[in-house]
Amino acid sequence: MSSNTAELKIDGKSYELPVIEGTENEKAVDISKLRAQSGYITLDQGFKNTGSTTSSITFLNGEEGVLRYRGYSIEELTAKSNFLEVAYLLIYGELPNKAEFDHFQENIIHHTLVHEDIKKILDGFPSSAHPMGVLSSLVCSLTAFYPESLDPNRSKEEVDLSIIRIMAKIPTFASWVYKHKIGHPVNYPDNSLDYCSNFLKMMFALPAEKYQPDPAVTDALDKLLILHADHEQNCSTSTVRIVGSSQASLYASISAGINALWGPLHGGANQAVIEMLESIKKDGGDVKKYIDKAKDKDDPFRLMGFGHRVYKNFDPRAKIIKKNADEVLSGLGIKDPVLDIAKGLEEAALQDDYFVERKLYPNVDFYSGIIYRAMGIPTDMFTVMFALGRLPGWIAQWKEMRENKEPIGRPRQIYTGYNERKIER
Ligand code: CMC
């Protein structure tokens, strides 16, 4: 806590409120006791100015385009680390040494297989089911296969085992969701491969085929997962923390986070980007027409993949991934008219006063959708890919919330409905 205090005057009375300062000099007025003292609550729809917690996991400065996990910049992590190492860093607070990494990786490899009965649950879904709904159901089904995980207050070893299990099984689930949707037999994990190569093999290998993932694709996927691994208190992470705050299990909390991520204003944006580009192409490819639609306040159309709640100059993840997108596309020799539309849209928006004045720049999802498409991942699986990347962040945030013994999340409201009335009959 800082030595500063804030003073609030209401109805002629003064209240002194503590000021909290973070390690990067972020400042907050602590209003947690204000209601008890004054009868007032604070109102902030969408939590645009409300801190829900203190956290030592991720630092984000939206004005300057900074994103760091446990103090390390995403630029350095994508250049020098790998996704599993970053997952360990987020969950346990430090980068692993070689022995710690080997142990973590071996543990994950050991748990990649899922119970055969999960296939029966999968088979119950029609092929029309959206992969995100199926993924969230499969993750929640782990509560049934590991009932001991229901109690998050068990020993550290048992909580760690739940963490390892979900990290290990989510690539298997994600690939099985896809295989089921296209009516192909599922592939079992290949534990001789690294995390990303194993996932790509389960996604794309055909029966009896010797599948070798392209190292450029594996590398791009690994980087994308790192870039998505955490993003402090966003919609899905806040959901995971708030569900977990009721002492719901890790699997139930993550399953809720997957559902929160699904929406087009959050993780679903990468799917929405490609759908938007495809519909522009179908409509003749007139980029200017769609720029004008996005600016028209009477038209609900928004440029998907543009703008961000917290990044108001540039999205640092987008900067890294744009370079990656160019490398993957040229490496795979991909020529795709939808990608030309994306480039045209980006150029036009970056020069347009409407977008410049509102600081609307392409976000990470604008480019991630383009890379996933180039990798052969179908559009409705894009948000599943985001979930795969975000998983260690959700776990770390759930674990931190538990270890800090945070109270159950329960916002207040200002009631604007009827006063008491009687049934008139
Ligand atoms: N296209 C056109 N206009 C936009 C857009 C857009 N994509 N985004 C914001 N605006 C306008 C908005 O109409 C408003 O204009 P005005 O001031 O004239 O009323 C102004 O910009 C501010 O918008 P806002 O909705 O108040 O901004 P926000 O911070 O509440 O919303 C956002 C952020 C990401 C929800 C929004 O920019 C958006 O809907 N973008 C498209 C969806 C998208 O790409 N989402 C992925 C976010 S990145 C992934 C993640 O981290 O989850």
Side-chain angles (χ1 to χ4, degrees):
M1 197 190 296
S2 113
S3 52
N4 270 343
T5 52
E7 193 183 332
L8 180 69
K9 272 193 183 159
I10 320 174
D11 297 336
K13 271 187 88 176
S14 276
Y15 300 93
E16 214 172 89
L17 302 166
V19 168
I20 308 285
E21 206 169 319
T23 49
E24 291 283 347
N25 305 322
E26 291 187 303
K27 294 180 180 67
V29 177
D30 178 354
I31 52 90
S32 53
K33 298 204 168 59
L34 181 64
R35 186 170 177 276
Q37 290 170 347
S38 68
Y40 279 77
I41 63 163
T42 54
L43 182 63
D44 179 19
Q45 281 186 11
F47 312 121
K48 288 196 175 196
N49 198 54
T50 295
S52 58
T53 189
T54 56
S55 176
S56 59
I57 301 171
T58 290
F59 174 68
L60 193 166
N61 180 328
E63 282 69 37
E64 288 173 23
V66 171
L67 178 61
R68 294 186 206 128
Y69 303 153
R70 305 280 189 188
Y72 298 105
S73 74
I74 50 157
E75 288 77 11
E76 207 180 359
L77 288 169
T78 45
K80 297 184 187 163
S81 186
N82 64 53
F83 176 62
L84 271 197
E85 223 179 37
V86 169
Y88 185 100
L89 169 73
L90 286 166
I91 297 169
Y92 298 109
E94 294 294 340
L95 280 169
N97 60 31
K98 184 163 179 340
E100 287 164 339
F101 181 75
D102 289 348
H103 182 64
F104 185 60
Q105 182 166 248
E106 271 161 31
N107 242 333
I108 287 178
I109 285 173
H110 184 75
H111 288 279
T112 48
L113 211 55
V114 301
H115 196 292
E116 279 295 294
D117 283 351
I118 287 187
K119 266 204 209 145
K120 293 184 193 152
I121 301 176
L122 188 63
D123 286 342
F125 283 95
S127 61
S128 58
H130 192 284
M132 284 296 273
V134 185
L135 183 70
S136 123
S137 306
L138 296 187
V139 167
C140 205
S141 79
L142 289 175
T143 55
F145 292 92
Y146 305 102
E148 67 280 8
S149 69
L150 287 174
D151 178 4
N153 297 312
R154 290 172 81 118
S155 68
K156 182 188 168 302
E157 288 67 32
E158 281 172 287
V159 172
D160 273 349
L161 184 56
S162 293
I163 291 174
I164 293 289
R165 280 197 174 119
I166 183 121
M167 279 294 301
K169 293 180 199 308
I170 207 161
T172 313
F173 284 159
S175 62
W176 282 19
V177 167
Y178 168 60
K179 288 288 191 190
H180 173 72
K181 193 164 173 65
I182 59 170
H184 285 189
V186 299
N187 286 322
Y188 285 89
D190 179 343
N191 291 344
S192 68
L193 296 175
D194 63 79
Y195 198 79
C196 288
S197 303
N198 175 43
F199 169 70
L200 289 168
K201 184 172 176 186
M202 286 192 288
M203 279 287 288
F204 295 120
L206 294 170
E209 186 199 30
K210 258 194 170 283
Y211 177 84
Q212 200 58 44
D214 183 327
V217 172
T218 310
D219 185 54
L221 175 60
D222 196 82
K223 285 195 168 57
L224 268 170
L225 298 186
I226 293 177
L227 292 178
H228 282 99
D230 197 44
H231 214 228
E232 51 120 295
Q233 308 310 317
N234 55 81
C235 174
S236 57
T237 302
S238 302
T239 301
V240 169
R241 282 184 92 121
I242 211 163
V243 171
S245 76
S246 75
Q247 305 211 354
S249 72
L250 175 66
Y251 302 141
S253 306
I254 300 288
S255 172
I258 293 171
N259 287 324
L261 186 71
W262 192 351
L265 296 191
H266 189 15
N270 52 17
Q271 172 174 345
V273 168
I274 296 295
E275 285 168 356
M276 173 188 77
L277 296 174
E278 271 169 349
S279 71
I280 297 176
K281 180 176 153 247
K282 229 179 177 176
D283 191 28
D286 184 352
V287 164
K288 187 177 173 306
K289 176 176 165 189
Y290 282 86
I291 293 275
D292 290 342
K293 268 167 80 64
K295 288 158 45 174
D296 182 355
K297 291 291 165 204
D298 296 327
D299 190 326
F301 177 78
R302 279 191 166 198
L303 269 195
M304 298 317 286
F306 277 74
H308 199 274
R309 170 56 65 81
V310 288
Y311 294 121
K312 297 300 178 193
N313 271 317
F314 67 93
D315 178 342
R317 304 166 302 170
K319 222 175 178 180
I320 299 173
I321 214 58
K322 180 176 167 33
K323 191 169 157 271
N324 229 254
D326 292 340
E327 279 166 15
V328 170
L329 297 184
S330 60
L332 296 176
I334 288 187
K335 295 231 174 311
D336 184 341
V338 158
L339 305 179
D340 295 334
I341 292 176
K343 282 198 173 142
L345 211 53
E346 186 189 354
E347 273 166 31
L350 291 178
Q351 287 165 14
D352 191 293
D353 284 349
Y354 173 94
F355 292 91
V356 174
E357 276 162 19
R358 288 170 181 75
K359 304 190 172 186
L360 300 169
Y361 300 93
N363 57 51
V364 69
D365 282 332
F366 190 71
Y367 302 109
S368 67
I370 291 171
I371 302 185
Y372 287 140
R373 183 179 164 97
M375 285 175 178
I377 290 170
T379 314
D380 59 5
M381 282 291 290
F382 288 1
T383 318
V384 167
M385 302 304 297
F386 192 157
L388 228 61
R390 184 54 55 87
L391 179 65
W394 287 333
I395 296 171
Q397 300 271 352
W398 179 90
K399 187 167 168 280
E400 182 183 68
M401 180 274 307
R402 300 275 320 133
E403 287 167 357
N404 287 353
K405 299 194 175 9
E406 289 182 15
I408 184 166
R410 193 349 182 145
R412 295 264 173 184
Q413 64 163 22
I414 294 294
Y415 174 69
T416 57
Y418 287 108
N419 295 113
E420 186 178 7
R421 53 183 177 155
K422 300 283 179 213
I423 299 172
E424 286 172 19
R425 273 194 200 129

